[in-house]
Amino acid sequence: RIELLDDEGNVSVILEGEAGRRAGLLVSTPGAGATTTTIGMDRASGNPFIYMYSGGKASIFATFDAGQASVQLTNEDGTSLTIAP
């Protein structure tokens, strides 16, 4: 975990390594319910991904599946849409 400070010494960004099924670098702001962005790889498939989380229920997940690009969009109300060619 690496905490980046602003000019006044306050934590402004947190960088963390993630483990488990997906390995990546998580970037967030401090505080509960913070927005996050993770850039990483799925360990099982080796596919890269980008995951952006609003801190609520909204998110964007972009990856490749069987050589095809895929983006899943989820709104705060839980509705979702997957875009794939």
Side-chain angles (χ1 to χ4, degrees):
R1 176 179 168 127
I2 299 170
E3 295 179 350
L4 302 178
L5 308 178
D6 63 17
D7 292 342
E8 298 175 1
N10 300 310
V11 176
S12 60
V13 175
I14 299 168
L15 306 175
E16 295 182 64
E18 283 195 319
R21 194 180 127 211
R22 296 187 178 120
L25 174 67
L26 181 137
V27 180
S28 68
T29 54
T35 60
T36 63
T37 299
T38 303
I39 300 170
M41 294 285 225
D42 182 285
R43 289 181 187 266
S45 67
N47 291 330
F49 69 87
I50 298 173
Y51 176 67
M52 293 172 275
Y53 171 67
S54 71
K57 294 181 182 177
S59 65
I60 300 171
F61 182 79
T63 191
F64 297 99
D65 186 20
Q68 298 292 316
S70 174
V71 178
Q72 182 176 5
L73 308 169
T74 305
N75 291 321
E76 290 290 338
D77 66 5
T79 59
S80 65
L81 170 69
T82 299
I83 302 169

